Amino acid sequence: MEGLEHILQEHPFFAGFTAEHLRLVAGCARNRRFDAEQYVFREGEPADEFFVIRHGRVALEIAEPGRAPVVFATLGQGEILGASWVVPPYRWMFDARAVALTRVIGIDAACLRGKCEADHDFGYEMMKRFLPVVTRRLHATRLQILDVYGKR
Amino acid sequence: MPANAFTPSVYRVARRRRELAGVVTLELAPLSGAPPAFAPGQFNMLYAFGVGEVAVSMSGAASDTDTFVHTVREVGAVSRALGQLRPGATLGVRGPFGTAWPVAAAAGTDVLIVAGGLGLAPLRPAIRAILAERARYGRVTILFGCRNPGEMLYRSELAQWRRRFDVDVEVTVDHAEPGWRGHVGVVPALIAQAEFDPRETTALVCGPEIMMRFVLSALRERGVADEHIYLSMERNMKCAIGLCGHCQFGPAFICKDGPVMRYDAIAGIFTVREV
């Protein structure tokens, strides 16, 4: 467990976390590995985990009948993967595919949600970290939609 | 250059290269003599005879003293006319004009180059100058974003830079195609992951203004000071010497006080919509 706490502490998402809060997260965590082309999760499946990417790269994509999946974002080292674990009904909205060997720490969602409920200070700290990530991605998506590089 | 800054010199197209659909690179040689020296970041006014003039940044190496290299996107009547010029055709050239990237001043610092779309063109002379004297700089990082893999400017040169061990190159696209194995997402998002010392970094940024706003936000979040951030601004330039006022940007004129501007000098007006 100490190893996981150390790894979490080194990750930007958890920078500045107290030792006690790190211990709470680590209690729900496990190391995971995904080979290139392996799916981390698929749309519609239960979002029972969220992921702290240690290295590698994961493509978020949407499957479309009769066409190749559309990749709309990639995430890599230092980022977190998955927001559906925190929003009912806790189902993945997209597919996530490792595009290279990817090592992550998977954090059990039910375990983490339970700890957030039990300790609101901890829960608030998690949300303070999590919301900016989601917001940044929303802003980035808006910029992507603007299609700024072409003829205007 | 002629004594009168409004009189173009006649150049011929020595080489023409199709970069992308609607984007060509023209190598221009003077009919006589050698082109004047320029600094990375500066621009020329290119005159398609009988059609008009547009400002286009130099995109070749400043060390190349035989020709001017310009990468032109065909968006209006003048740039379309320029884009259709074939080797041997002539055009008028006024310049070089404007301010330059702080290539010499950045020596000893990490250099972060952030380019979007055709914004890589004005940065290419700076990149070439920095790589030519690579040992003078700290960590050098190039972040480039474009619409999709098919619209990647200078693809082969980007690949060459990526193969070097002394430069970090990351390319991201807004929209991926099957088979693309690189980043997908906007270029500002790469800044959070890039390795540089924010306290000792010179950032050179060029691309659509909307993109630059998001890049600024990401740079500030990493702790890069405004006085270490340089942007290449675009406005409708006509006279190129600060007389006509077409490119007025608050108290400045982009043609003579820019196009490369230090962010702290324009921070007060950069986001003012009416400017």
Side-chain angles (χ1 to χ4, degrees):
Chain A
M1 194 62 75
E2 280 182 4
L4 279 177
E5 280 182 43
H6 181 70
I7 293 167
L8 289 169
Q9 189 177 28
E10 300 273 295
H11 196 277
F13 182 78
F14 294 105
F17 247 48
T18 65
E20 173 59 16
H21 287 166
L22 274 175
R23 193 183 58 76
L24 289 173
V25 178
C28 303
R30 60 175 172 154
N31 270 308
R32 299 198 59 190
R33 169 203 154 117
F34 297 92
D35 292 319
E37 301 308 317
Q38 188 179 351
Y39 277 84
V40 180
F41 53 76
R42 286 186 183 271
E43 181 184 338
E45 291 176 349
D48 50 12
E49 209 168 2
F50 101 100
F51 303 93
V52 174
I53 302 175
R54 297 177 59 194
H55 69 79
R57 187 178 301 168
V58 176
L60 293 179
E61 57 187 35
I62 300 174
E64 198 178 352
R67 290 185 57 186
V70 178
V71 176
F72 62 90
T74 52
L75 302 173
Q77 182 175 340
E79 297 186 284
I80 63 166
L81 166 64
S84 300
W85 70 277
V86 79
V87 186
Y90 311 123
R91 298 268 168 186
W92 295 120
M93 298 294 290
F94 313 110
D95 296 340
R97 175 177 51 87
V99 292
L101 171 65
T102 301
R103 292 182 197 279
V104 302
I105 294 181
I107 298 166
D108 184 277
C111 171
L112 194 63
R113 286 196 299 262
K115 289 182 177 178
C116 289
E117 283 294 344
D119 180 344
H120 285 183
D121 284 348
F122 170 67
Y124 182 55
E125 193 60 41
M126 280 298 297
M127 292 308 121
K128 278 201 295 186
R129 307 299 178 107
F130 204 73
L131 192 58
V133 174
V134 175
T135 307
R136 266 198 300 274
R137 289 188 190 159
L138 175 63
H139 290 166
T141 303
R142 286 172 173 162
L143 185 57
Q144 225 166 337
I145 291 168
L146 285 175
D147 194 19
V148 296
Y149 298 125
K151 297 175 184 177
R152 295 175 72 80
Chain B
M1 193 162 74
N4 185 337
F6 287 112
T7 306
S9 298
V10 181
Y11 281 61
R12 68 178 173 81
V13 177
R15 287 188 192 81
R16 176 185 188 274
R17 175 189 160 86
R18 169 70 62 189
E19 301 283 357
L20 309 168
V23 179
V24 295
T25 292
L26 302 174
E27 204 171 317
L28 308 177
L31 288 190
S32 62
F38 75 94
Q42 288 193 296
F43 68 94
N44 279 328
M45 298 300 296
L46 304 185
Y47 178 27
F49 292 126
V51 186
E53 249 189 347
V54 287
V56 184
S57 291
M58 262 64 110
S59 62
S63 57
D64 177 2
T65 55
D66 298 327
T67 56
F68 282 135
V69 178
H70 291 279
T71 300
V72 180
R73 170 172 271 160
E74 299 169 46
V75 286
V78 181
S79 55
R80 270 197 295 276
L82 290 169
Q84 285 159 20
L85 295 176
R86 294 294 187 271
T90 55
L91 71 162
V93 175
R94 291 193 297 128
F97 296 115
T99 56
W101 297 111
V103 171
T109 72
D110 290 352
V111 181
L112 177 67
I113 293 158
V114 188
L118 220 63
L120 187 58
L123 280 163
R124 188 164 71 154
I127 295 171
R128 288 184 170 183
I130 288 165
L131 296 185
E133 297 193 75
R134 178 64 188 84
R136 297 182 65 205
Y137 301 89
R139 187 182 283 272
V140 175
T141 305
I142 301 169
L143 307 178
F144 174 57
C146 59
R147 180 190 277 165
N148 58 51
E151 296 202 9
M152 196 185 304
L153 194 63
Y154 311 140
R155 176 184 284 264
S156 61
E157 196 164 8
L158 274 165
Q160 282 174 27
W161 295 336
R162 189 193 280 275
R163 281 196 292 272
R164 293 175 62 130
F165 293 108
D166 55 359
V167 185
D168 295 323
V169 179
E170 297 292 347
V171 175
T172 188
V173 299
D174 277 2
H175 307 287
E177 294 158 358
W180 171 254
R181 301 188 65 80
H183 293 284
V184 180
V186 295
V187 69
L190 297 181
I191 292 170
Q193 310 301 325
E195 290 186 32
F196 57 87
D197 179 354
R199 295 159 303 175
E200 294 293 336
T201 290
T202 307
L204 315 181
V205 186
C206 187
E209 207 164 305
I210 302 169
M211 182 213 88
M212 293 203 290
R213 290 211 302 267
F214 281 81
V215 166
L216 282 166
S217 173
L219 289 173
R220 290 171 132 186
E221 204 169 313
R222 283 289 304 266
V224 180
D226 291 353
E227 58 267 31
H228 295 156
I229 302 172
Y230 294 80
L231 311 176
S232 183
M233 297 296 296
E234 270 196 34
R235 283 293 189 274
N236 187 15
M237 293 187 268
K238 290 288 183 193
C239 75
I241 53 175
L243 292 178
C244 74
H246 271 87
C247 64
Q248 187 162 3
F249 183 58
F253 293 100
I254 298 293
C255 65
K256 69 179 182 67
D257 302 309
V260 176
M261 305 181 95
R262 213 172 80 174
Y263 182 59
D264 61 329
I266 57 171
I269 56 171
F270 185 70
T271 55
V272 178
R273 294 176 187 203
E274 293 77 14
V275 172

